[in-house]
Amino acid sequence: MKTFLALLLAGLCALMLEGVLARVFPPPWCPDLGFLVVVSIGLCLRGLIPGLLLAYLLGSSIDVLSGSLAGLHALLCVISFVSAFFAASQLNLKSTLSLMAFVGSLSFVYGVLLFFISSLFVENIGLSWRWILENFLHAWINGLTVPFVVEGIGRLVAWSEDDDSQERSLYIDSPMRPL
């Protein structure tokens, strides 16, 4: 429970920090911290069900804060979490370069899916070379930022799992006499 609440709080703080950074940096240059936290949870957390719930809650928070279609980011965050969760067990993502390449490509696919699903419901959305370039730049920025986010989330998971032990301590009777 401590791990779940710590990760939820970290994700919500990352969303607020992203809002602050978006005022300083133009949109393609600002990392998508909510997405990066969800992917980092998929890479660092061992439980599938708590991770799915966290991804859904953080995606719903992104929906509320961005004003996009209800449930769109929640769906894409769950898909991103599942992709990262299973990629962590199947791919060697220990090196920084492979991690950056994986998250950069996942971020690009996230943007493409966001565009195509939005185009089903919203009129006058056109695909342009400028949008493709901005999506590529945004994926590149996310790839450069992800090692720091994964490190932070990994440390948070390691810190919070220390006290989550469900097992009771074993009492060992000592044959030593008190002095």
Side-chain angles (χ1 to χ4, degrees):
M1 185 67 166
K2 181 180 174 183
T3 304
F4 182 84
L5 292 176
L7 289 174
L8 182 62
L9 183 63
L12 294 175
C13 288
L15 290 176
M16 289 186 272
L17 179 62
E18 181 183 343
V20 170
L21 289 176
R23 294 194 153 259
V24 177
F25 300 110
W29 300 103
C30 180
D32 191 354
L33 295 177
F35 166 77
L36 293 177
V37 167
V38 168
V39 170
S40 298
I41 290 171
L43 295 173
C44 298
L45 194 64
R46 286 180 257 164
L48 180 64
I49 301 301
L52 284 172
L53 186 58
L54 278 169
Y56 173 75
L57 290 173
L58 291 174
S60 296
S61 300
I62 295 170
D63 282 331
V64 169
L65 293 175
S66 70
S68 64
L69 294 170
L72 178 60
H73 285 283
L75 172 69
L76 293 177
C77 281
V78 167
I79 291 171
S80 299
F81 168 78
V82 170
S83 300
F85 185 80
F86 289 117
S89 63
Q90 299 296 321
L91 301 175
N92 183 10
L93 297 176
K94 298 294 181 194
S95 73
T96 305
L97 190 59
S98 64
L99 178 66
M100 290 168 53
F102 172 73
V103 172
S105 61
L106 187 62
S107 177
F108 186 79
V109 170
Y110 185 96
V112 169
L113 288 174
L114 186 68
F115 173 80
F116 283 123
I117 293 173
S118 296
S119 68
L120 293 174
F121 298 102
V122 180
E123 293 180 16
N124 300 330
I125 295 181
L127 185 63
S128 66
W129 288 106
R130 182 172 186 251
W131 180 86
I132 294 172
L133 177 64
E134 286 180 359
N135 190 28
F136 179 76
L137 288 173
H138 188 67
W140 185 71
I141 294 296
N142 284 341
L144 289 176
T145 311
V146 75
F148 305 106
V149 179
V150 168
E151 178 70 23
I153 294 295
R155 287 179 187 254
L156 183 64
V157 167
W159 170 78
S160 63
E161 283 184 345
D162 284 344
D163 294 333
D164 269 356
S165 176
Q166 299 292 331
E167 299 176 16
R168 298 179 70 170
S169 299
L170 179 64
Y171 178 74
I172 300 175
D173 192 22
S174 173
M176 297 185 64
R177 296 185 313 233
L179 295 174

